[in-house]
Amino acid sequence: MSPIHIIDAIGPFFRGYDRRVINWSKIPWDHVGRQGAAWWEQVCRDLNVLARQAASWGFNTVSIDDVAHLALHDMVEPDVRHRIERYRAEMRRCFAVLKKAGLNIHVTMDVFSATPWLKKSLRIARKPVNVYLAELMDRFLTDFPEVSGIIVRIGESDGKDVKDDFHSQLVIQTPEQAREFLLALLPTFEKHQRLMVFRTWTVGAYPIGDLMWHRDTFSRVFDSIVSSALVVSMKYGESDFFRYLPLNRNFFRTSLPKIVELQTRREYEGCGEYPSPTGWMYEEYARELRQAENVIGCMVWCQTGGWVPFRRLAFLDAEAVWTDLNTFVTIRVMKDGALVEDAVRAFAKERRLGDADALLELLRLADECIRELLYIEEYARQKLFFRRVRIPPMLQVYWGNIFVSHSLRRLLRYFVRDADAALRSARRCLDNLDRMMELAERAHVPVKDIEYMRDTFRLLALSREYYFAEDSADIEPRILAAKVEYKTKYAKRGLRPRYRIKTDFKPLLLNPRYLAWAVQFLMRRQRGYRVVDRIVVLDGLSLIYRFIAARKPHWIPGFASKSAMGVDVVFK
């Protein structure tokens, strides 16, 4: 199978999308549907810029959303079909721009997206979802010969904030259902000689929720499946796009063609508001992947991912230099086997930046700050699982939020034994940020971005002091004063929207011994399930959570219940 190097192209569709927190997981179709001809013209111009730049860097394929809004079926209600007809007409022009730039087109698809009318119609007709989807794919691939493949997501659905004709839901709940889906749909792709890129990413819901890391689940889905149309797509680690994750071992467990998913607009690391270099991390993964059979490329998310206030558009905004730099370095490392240092120098030359050596030193210092201050290294290196999810190696920062709370203090003190080392690394990183200001001037990159990073990371350093220092009696008022200063300096939205700083110093009334027991009972340090997981944590905890959600909903933090799909999905 020919190499595939995919870049996502959803950025242009967010022009004029003015929300405090933006859902970057998919094109905002509710926004798109309200736009006129001038807006679509701008989208085509933006896509032309993005596509030509991406192609010149080495990408040969682009991903774009989404089948549900472009595929016609008789079971969809007439008014929705009318809107789909308009989307199809406009997107054909977009596809033409991408093809002219020399890029193949892969369209994304959730399994499964539907309107309330469609779901009711399928129930009445007693038509299985796989039969409906096979019909839909057959018609879609016939109508769009310019589309080379479909990127299928089965383990995550639309967030609770999505207001649209279509809303996706998780219908594949077991490995057997995933396998049935593949066997039902692959013949259609083979017939049309197109690719199905099947993503193993899941958020942990249902028995299929450990597909991305559990070898037995992976085997039950893919063993003995042979198809000229199938490509398996896996994130580099066993969790989302975080650091400190070993390479996903499932790359070595199948001979099927596969690609690795990488993210250059780091949704948990500032979304390109400040430098968060990925080159050295991806260089290590690339070396390991050379030992895996039939790895044919990568899928790079340069815009997709996260619910955040940050809104810089890769390839299109001059301010998106850090995402562009990550993207350039990533494709050079993954496709050409280039060294990070050579790729950075080539980018500096192409963008006519200043001193490339100063840029490299700045990136090395930024890399250290991300690894040691945005993360807490001792905690991040621990392998922890809860139910079917590998727990993220970052606790204090989530998307555009920084949490400073007494409960988190108690939890981190349980996991982190060397408090002095955590405090020293924070102080060292603050010194790095002062040095980075000088280097940014020499490298001719935005000094204001480094200043923003320094101000944000100073808050992280203060919270580190709150978590681990024993002699900081005045730390709480210092954090609150710094929070006020930060909010005064940076707006909620705009060029440099601020993080939300969520503070709660109310003591957690739980004996440390009981906290330790709870952690040991609920979490495990092994991939395999313990007896207690199978008896209590997987099934029993689901019942307990549903009881709490129904009877004591105020016990569940609003952030956890309202963001993305909601925390309840983890308990399905």
Side-chain angles (χ1 to χ4, degrees):
M1 192 174 289
S2 300
I4 304 172
H5 296 98
I6 307 174
I7 187 77
D8 74 284
I10 68 170
F13 297 89
F14 286 82
R15 289 288 193 193
Y17 191 47
D18 188 23
R19 296 189 61 176
R20 164 72 178 97
V21 176
I22 294 177
N23 172 0
W24 290 98
S25 66
K26 186 183 291 185
I27 287 176
W29 291 99
D30 58 325
H31 166 69
V32 171
R34 297 191 297 270
Q35 305 308 314
W39 184 87
W40 280 102
E41 289 291 339
Q42 182 63 53
V43 166
C44 286
R45 288 194 292 270
D46 286 343
L47 283 174
N48 182 57
V49 172
L50 185 156
R52 291 184 180 279
Q53 183 72 90
S56 73
W57 286 357
F59 292 97
N60 61 10
T61 305
V62 66
S63 70
I64 197 164
D65 303 334
D66 92 308
V67 167
H69 292 84
L70 300 176
L72 285 173
H73 195 282
D74 296 339
M75 298 187 78
V76 176
E77 52 266 51
D79 60 324
V80 176
R81 287 205 304 270
H82 178 73
R83 282 189 283 278
I84 290 174
E85 290 280 14
R86 187 191 172 207
Y87 294 144
R88 285 160 66 97
E90 298 291 359
M91 291 298 284
R92 285 189 193 278
R93 297 174 57 222
C94 296
F95 290 171
V97 171
L98 299 171
K99 293 294 289 186
K100 188 175 181 180
L103 295 173
N104 295 319
I105 299 166
H106 281 26
V107 181
T108 65
M109 181 180 82
D110 277 352
V111 179
F112 132 85
S113 292
T115 66
W117 172 285
L118 175 58
K119 286 189 285 188
K120 181 179 179 181
S121 299
L122 289 172
R123 285 196 301 270
I124 293 172
R126 296 184 179 180
K127 178 174 288 192
V129 169
N130 286 347
V131 173
Y132 166 78
L133 290 176
E135 294 173 356
L136 194 73
M137 286 298 94
D138 188 46
R139 194 170 301 184
F140 178 77
L141 295 174
T142 299
D143 291 347
F144 288 93
E146 64 269 46
V147 171
S148 302
I150 305 296
I151 300 171
V152 174
R153 182 175 72 165
I154 61 117
E156 183 179 7
S157 61
D158 287 330
K160 293 190 172 184
D161 60 320
V162 173
K163 310 297 181 185
D164 184 44
D165 292 322
F166 291 91
H167 200 284
S168 63
Q169 63 186 82
L170 301 178
V171 297
I172 295 179
Q173 300 180 4
T174 68
E176 289 71 29
Q177 289 174 343
R179 187 179 184 84
E180 289 169 6
F181 167 82
L182 289 171
L183 294 175
L185 271 291
L186 282 171
T188 302
F189 284 82
E190 292 164 0
K191 167 188 167 183
H192 289 276
Q193 297 184 314
R194 315 292 177 81
L195 293 179
M196 177 200 286
V197 179
F198 185 92
R199 301 185 64 203
T200 65
W201 160 248
T202 71
V203 293
Y206 305 114
I208 193 66
D210 57 10
L211 173 62
M212 65 186 301
W213 57 265
H214 198 287
R215 62 188 307 165
D216 290 340
T217 304
F218 190 86
S219 175
R220 287 159 64 190
V221 173
F222 295 110
D223 271 7
S224 76
I225 287 184
V226 178
S227 174
S228 60
L230 179 60
V231 176
V232 180
S233 180
M234 292 179 270
K235 291 190 177 183
Y236 57 78
E238 297 175 331
S239 182
D240 212 343
F241 291 118
F242 295 101
R243 297 179 192 247
Y244 292 102
L245 295 172
L247 182 66
N248 190 334
R249 304 312 297 172
N250 281 337
F251 279 103
F252 303 91
R253 292 178 178 138
T254 180
S255 60
L256 287 167
K258 45 199 165 288
I259 58 176
V260 58
E261 296 182 30
L262 309 166
Q263 189 180 57
T264 54
R265 175 189 171 274
R266 303 286 291 175
E267 63 183 281
Y268 303 105
E269 299 172 5
C271 295
E273 297 293 314
Y274 48 77
S276 179
T278 56
W280 289 288
M281 176 172 62
Y282 292 165
E283 191 177 58
E284 290 184 17
Y285 290 139
R287 282 197 293 266
E288 288 188 71
L289 284 168
R290 293 187 193 119
Q291 308 304 315
E293 182 182 359
N294 217 3
V295 177
I296 62 170
C298 61
M299 178 153 51
V300 177
W301 301 110
C302 69
Q303 198 70 56
T304 303
W307 277 253
V308 294
F310 313 125
R311 58 197 66 221
R312 297 180 179 185
L313 300 180
F315 293 94
L316 303 176
D317 294 343
E319 296 82 12
V321 60
W322 307 115
T323 300
D324 290 355
L325 171 58
N326 272 350
T327 305
F328 180 93
V329 171
T330 296
I331 191 62
R332 290 294 175 91
V333 166
M334 300 303 299
K335 181 173 182 283
D336 303 327
L339 295 175
V340 172
E341 290 76 11
D342 292 340
V344 170
R345 290 190 173 93
F347 180 84
K349 182 178 180 181
E350 179 176 303
R351 288 294 175 92
R352 298 180 181 178
L353 301 179
D355 187 340
D357 289 332
L359 178 59
L360 270 167
E361 185 179 351
L362 183 152
L363 294 175
R364 288 192 181 97
L365 294 175
D367 186 62
E368 184 178 0
C369 288
I370 297 293
R371 288 186 290 105
E372 297 194 21
L373 189 45
L374 197 63
Y375 295 80
I376 299 173
E377 184 173 3
E378 184 180 342
Y379 167 76
R381 291 193 180 279
Q382 297 181 44
K383 182 175 67 175
L384 298 167
F385 290 85
F386 171 68
R387 289 174 57 84
R388 302 181 186 93
V389 176
R390 176 156 181 162
I391 297 174
M394 179 191 296
L395 285 181
Q396 187 185 354
V397 182
Y398 198 69
W399 287 326
N401 303 278
I402 296 175
F403 299 97
V404 189
S405 69
H406 188 268
S407 57
L408 196 54
R409 181 174 185 258
R410 292 281 290 275
L411 196 61
L412 285 171
R413 286 191 169 205
Y414 171 81
F415 284 113
V416 177
R417 303 301 183 187
D418 194 345
D420 288 341
L423 291 167
R424 286 195 303 272
S425 66
R427 289 190 290 269
R428 184 173 64 253
C429 288
L430 291 181
D431 291 340
N432 285 359
L433 287 159
D434 289 334
R435 170 68 175 152
M436 286 164 61
M437 297 282 287
E438 306 168 17
L439 293 167
E441 292 183 359
R442 286 170 47 195
H444 298 170
V445 292
V447 177
K448 286 290 186 181
D449 288 356
I450 309 304
E451 181 181 351
Y452 174 80
M453 184 180 185
R454 184 179 66 181
D455 292 342
T456 304
F457 279 46
R458 279 176 175 169
L459 280 164
L460 292 173
L462 277 174
S463 66
R464 183 77 60 91
E465 192 175 339
Y466 169 72
Y467 291 137
F468 298 118
E470 300 293 347
D471 55 351
S472 294
D474 63 340
I475 187 60
E476 292 178 18
R478 286 165 55 204
I479 289 173
L480 294 175
K483 176 180 176 179
V484 170
E485 183 180 352
Y486 184 76
K487 290 176 68 174
T488 302
K489 186 171 182 178
Y490 297 105
K492 285 185 177 180
R493 62 181 73 191
L495 179 60
R496 293 182 184 85
R498 65 175 179 255
Y499 279 83
R500 284 180 172 177
I501 316 298
K502 297 179 178 288
T503 53
D504 182 3
F505 302 118
K506 184 179 178 180
L508 178 66
L509 301 178
L510 181 65
N511 188 297
R513 181 185 301 173
Y514 298 151
L515 175 64
W517 289 348
V519 169
Q520 292 168 17
F521 177 77
L522 294 174
M523 299 181 189
R524 64 187 188 280
R525 295 181 181 272
Q526 62 193 49
R527 290 180 179 85
Y529 298 109
R530 305 164 299 179
V531 173
V532 70
D533 294 312
R534 299 189 181 280
I535 295 176
V536 179
V537 179
L538 288 176
D539 295 326
L541 211 56
S542 296
L543 296 174
I544 294 170
Y545 178 84
R546 287 198 291 271
F547 176 83
I548 292 173
R551 301 293 183 89
K552 303 286 184 180
H554 58 281
W555 287 8
I556 304 170
F559 170 82
S561 61
K562 296 176 183 177
S563 65
M565 296 172 64
V567 72
D568 57 301
V569 73
V570 177
F571 293 92
K572 290 184 176 179

